[in-house]
Amino acid sequence: MKLSVLIAIMAVFVASCGIHDRQFLTPSPDTYEAFAPVGVPVSVRAFGDLSGADSAAIVDDLTRALKQRGNRTGLNILALSGGGPDGAYGAGVLNGWTATGERPEFDIVTGISTGAIIAPFAFLGPDYDASLTRFYTKTDTTRIARFRVLPAVFSGGALADNAPLARAIEEELTDAHIRKIAEEHRKGRRLIIGTTNMDAERSVLWDIGELAKVGTPEAFGLVRRIILASAAIPVFFQPVRIPVSDGIVVREELHVDGALTQQIFSYPSDLPLRDILKDAGLANKTNTIWLIHNKRLEPRFEAQSTRLLEMADRTLSTLIRSQSYGDIAFIVALAERDGLGVNGLAVPPRFSEEPRQAFDPHYMTKLYQIGVEDGLDPQRWYRDLDEVLFGSTSFDGVAPTE
């Protein structure tokens, strides 16, 4: 993986000397917000920073959906982070959690990057755990990417063709799965996937259930392309091109890894969740956000080499960890504002295996088993995350769930 960091730097340098290859294909800076994906309702997505009409539309939809769900034991939101092959941890957690018999049916599931691959199956429930096990223990690099290093360096593009990953997503997420997602959406549940619009430098939230409701092969294909885009690490993987129109002309957007703009998210800050819970009869129930972070969060001391590859690798991992802390702190602040509890798991310090390839089945299987162990043990979920955010180096040691 460190070699890929160096090649990425070379690709960026070479590409910067080239000619802009898309300047006539995109909407203009003044009009791009008026464009929407071709052939599907405008309501299938909104910008993650939720400005103007976007904010009102997604807030109104979530308000109606949560009220539709009615009086239950409590609201449950599952948020799944990025992490590449470390998504094996989240897959293991869900399988272990199922075995306890205490895994709830989630009202909202959100996913970013590798979390976007996990999210549809987590949303559909325990009957679909086997798909996660298979994907995160049997997959190797050849099923994810086909490398094209020299073409990337000398003519631009990406270091790897992610057509193999697109095929894997299509194999695992069938039309029957997507139709089932639409059924659950009609019941008031929501599945939201995040991507990054590279043209706009903004996160985009996609309502996968609303898109699944369209029911056409084109809509089903777009569901899979959104998941592919959310996991498309820039430079390493090809961006996903999505046709968009303002009703007059057709242009395209480039969408890439959702983790570029946020590592993990729960719900929009404009959502008046406290009031919604009160109206739905849930104000005095156990309302919980469950966070599964598919990376380690604690800082690790290690003498740092000044070689380019090692510096680039350490820089990237530090940036990801810092962004994750900020995203989790934001979720905790929302939960405190709205009266929800927050339980969290992250890849624990006791896991020290190193991968031998980008997607190493041996590494992923071991991490999956660690996830199963954590999912089986309710004491590993922690409700008060202030210590992990402001005074501790891991989720361990924070007050356990009652």
Side-chain angles (χ1 to χ4, degrees):
M1 289 296 290
K2 291 182 179 180
L3 178 59
S4 69
V5 175
L6 175 59
I7 298 172
I9 294 169
M10 293 169 61
V12 170
F13 174 76
V14 174
S16 69
C17 301
I19 298 172
H20 195 316
D21 62 339
R22 295 181 59 250
Q23 58 184 335
F24 302 114
L25 298 177
T26 63
S28 72
D30 297 330
T31 64
Y32 77 90
E33 290 189 353
F35 281 73
V38 173
V40 298
V42 174
S43 58
V44 301
R45 71 174 193 176
F47 283 106
D49 47 24
L50 294 177
S51 60
D54 276 348
S55 176
I58 195 168
V59 166
D60 288 349
D61 173 70
L62 286 172
T63 300
R64 287 192 301 270
L66 294 176
K67 288 182 178 178
Q68 176 187 344
R69 294 279 287 159
N71 195 337
R72 305 175 307 287
T73 57
L75 177 74
N76 287 284
I77 300 172
L78 175 66
L80 298 155
S81 83
D86 288 0
Y89 177 73
V93 168
L94 289 166
N95 274 265
W97 200 355
T98 294
T100 68
E102 298 179 1
R103 176 176 157 185
E105 180 181 77
F106 303 108
D107 300 277
I108 300 173
V109 175
T110 72
I112 288 284
S113 196
T114 198
I117 296 173
I118 299 170
F121 304 101
F123 179 79
L124 291 173
D127 290 346
Y128 299 84
D129 283 356
S131 295
L132 292 175
T133 302
R134 180 170 55 250
F135 187 87
Y136 283 99
T137 61
K138 304 298 182 183
T139 295
D140 64 9
T141 306
T142 62
R143 196 182 182 210
I144 299 297
R146 182 169 56 245
F147 287 95
R148 48 184 303 280
V149 175
L150 291 180
V153 171
F154 293 107
S155 62
L159 298 172
D161 179 1
N162 49 5
L165 178 57
R167 287 193 295 270
I169 292 171
E170 185 173 7
E171 290 170 5
E172 297 294 346
L173 190 64
T174 66
D175 287 356
H177 290 131
I178 298 174
R179 282 191 286 269
K180 180 65 174 175
I181 289 170
E183 290 177 20
E184 295 303 312
H185 178 86
R186 292 187 182 97
K187 298 175 185 177
R189 301 177 64 214
R190 292 294 180 265
L191 171 60
I192 303 174
I193 299 298
T195 64
T196 297
N197 181 326
M198 283 291 283
D199 298 304
E201 296 184 333
R202 295 169 74 183
S203 66
V204 178
L205 305 182
W206 297 84
D207 187 338
I208 299 300
E210 186 70 16
L211 182 53
K213 270 177 48 183
V214 176
T216 63
E218 292 77 15
F220 287 5
L222 183 54
V223 167
R224 298 186 184 102
R225 287 175 64 77
I226 289 164
I227 293 170
L228 178 67
S230 187
I233 303 167
V235 181
F236 185 78
F237 280 139
Q238 294 169 312
V240 173
R241 298 171 185 250
I242 296 180
V244 292
S245 175
D246 61 354
I248 302 172
V249 297
V250 175
R251 295 290 186 260
E252 71 171 23
E253 296 172 348
L254 285 190
H255 285 258
V256 298
D257 194 346
L260 195 64
T261 43
Q262 51 188 349
Q263 288 290 322
I264 190 168
F265 71 100
S266 56
Y267 58 87
S269 59
D270 284 0
L271 187 70
L273 193 54
R274 185 180 289 273
D275 293 338
I276 294 171
L277 294 175
K278 183 178 179 180
D279 292 344
L282 295 171
N284 297 318
K285 305 291 185 178
T286 303
N287 303 306
T288 309
I289 301 173
W290 305 87
L291 307 180
I292 299 179
H293 192 274
N294 295 299
K295 280 289 186 184
R296 293 175 62 156
L297 279 173
E298 81 287 350
R300 290 176 289 179
F301 180 86
E302 180 180 328
Q304 178 61 49
S305 166
T306 58
R307 293 189 179 97
L308 177 63
L309 296 183
E310 283 77 5
M311 284 294 292
D313 187 65
R314 191 70 171 270
T315 298
L316 182 60
S317 65
T318 302
L319 283 170
I320 289 172
R321 185 172 60 81
S322 298
Q323 182 185 12
S324 297
Y325 268 67
D327 291 337
I328 293 171
F330 183 72
I331 292 172
V332 170
L334 281 182
E336 291 178 348
R337 183 197 71 182
D338 295 328
L340 282 75
V342 182
N343 289 4
L345 285 173
V347 174
R350 71 182 188 278
F351 181 73
S352 58
E353 190 82 11
E354 293 292 336
R356 293 169 292 186
Q357 56 174 296
F359 288 83
D360 180 353
H362 176 78
Y363 169 91
M364 292 163 67
T365 298
K366 285 198 169 185
L367 182 53
Y368 171 87
Q369 291 300 331
I370 291 290
V372 170
E373 292 173 12
D374 286 359
L376 283 168
D377 184 358
Q379 294 303 307
R380 293 193 185 277
W381 289 99
Y382 299 100
R383 186 169 53 195
D384 181 0
L385 301 187
D386 285 345
E387 190 171 346
V388 65
L389 293 169
F390 306 117
S392 178
T393 58
S394 76
F395 279 58
D396 294 334
V398 184
T401 306
E402 292 178 356

